[in-house]
Amino acid sequence: MFSKTCEYAIRAVMFITRETKDGRRVGVKEIAEGIDSPVYFIAKILQELSKRGIVQSLKGPTGGFFMDGNSLNHTVADVVMAIDGDKLFHGCILGLSECSEKQPCPLHAEFKKIRKELRELLTQTKLGELQDKFDVATFYLSRR
């Protein structure tokens, strides 16, 4: 459902959220290792997320990526929109350009319900809420 880039973005944001709760900052190499991503690829993704204010970054020897109060108010949907746009929330599950209420694909009605539920889940889940969940459980963010 998500592009590979978006999957990495969501995992990176979750990793940063978990690892910087105590105020520390994490570098690109640590993030890439933590989510099993190529460094150059995640660096480009983080640059976009930082530009949109979803994650924060500081340069220099004590720099790195972190979450602040504004970042934690963003939702998972904000991450998806920053990377993949709104295609997930409006597009056809089969990728057809003409799929609509007037010209539905064979899965249109069923996917419309799923898409609505997914949108609600992603727009209602704030990154700060994920940080709270990390307090009570250990989550798996790498493919290893």
Side-chain angles (χ1 to χ4, degrees), residues 41-78:
F41 191 52
I42 202 64
K44 197 167 183 136
I45 293 168
L46 290 170
Q47 183 179 34
E48 182 63 28
L49 294 175
S50 180
K51 184 169 80 172
R52 293 178 181 255
I54 296 172
V55 299
Q56 303 303 312
S57 67
L58 284 175
K59 293 181 181 184
T62 60
F65 291 92
F66 63 99
M67 304 296 281
D68 66 5
N70 291 332
S71 299
L72 294 171
N73 281 322
H74 279 282
T75 65
V76 177
D78 294 331

Side-chain angles (χ1 to χ4, degrees), residues 7-8 10-19 31-37 134 138-144:
E7 289 175 8
Y8 280 129
I10 293 169
R11 290 188 352 229
V13 167
M14 289 182 180
F15 183 86
I16 295 166
T17 299
R18 180 182 70 196
E19 296 298 316
I31 297 165
E33 188 176 295
I35 66 169
D36 193 25
S37 164
F134 288 128
T138 302
F139 290 97
Y140 181 72
L141 294 174
S142 174
R143 292 184 210 220
R144 295 180 198 169

Side-chain angles (χ1 to χ4, degrees), residues 2-10 41-42 45 83-84:
F2 302 115
S3 70
K4 183 63 70 185
T5 304
C6 191
E7 289 175 8
Y8 280 129
I10 293 169
F41 191 52
I42 202 64
I45 293 168
I83 302 300
D84 280 354

Side-chain angles (χ1 to χ4, degrees), residues 20-119:
T20 65
K21 184 172 182 163
D22 62 357
R24 79 181 190 97
R25 297 179 184 111
V26 290
V28 175
K29 288 181 184 178
E30 183 180 352
I31 297 165
E33 188 176 295
I35 66 169
D36 193 25
S37 164
V39 174
Y40 70 92
F41 191 52
I42 202 64
K44 197 167 183 136
I45 293 168
L46 290 170
Q47 183 179 34
E48 182 63 28
L49 294 175
S50 180
K51 184 169 80 172
R52 293 178 181 255
I54 296 172
V55 299
Q56 303 303 312
S57 67
L58 284 175
K59 293 181 181 184
T62 60
F65 291 92
F66 63 99
M67 304 296 281
D68 66 5
N70 291 332
S71 299
L72 294 171
N73 281 322
H74 279 282
T75 65
V76 177
D78 294 331
V79 178
V80 173
M81 293 288 289
I83 302 300
D84 280 354
D86 68 350
K87 185 174 114 178
L88 175 68
F89 304 123
H90 300 290
C92 173
I93 190 167
L94 301 178
L96 303 174
S97 59
E98 299 298 321
C99 183
S100 66
E101 294 295 323
K102 291 183 181 181
Q103 289 185 298
C105 77
L107 301 174
H108 182 81
E110 291 81 7
F111 185 63
K112 184 177 177 179
K113 295 173 205 166
I114 294 167
R115 184 175 51 213
K116 182 180 181 234
E117 290 175 12
L118 182 60
R119 183 182 192 114

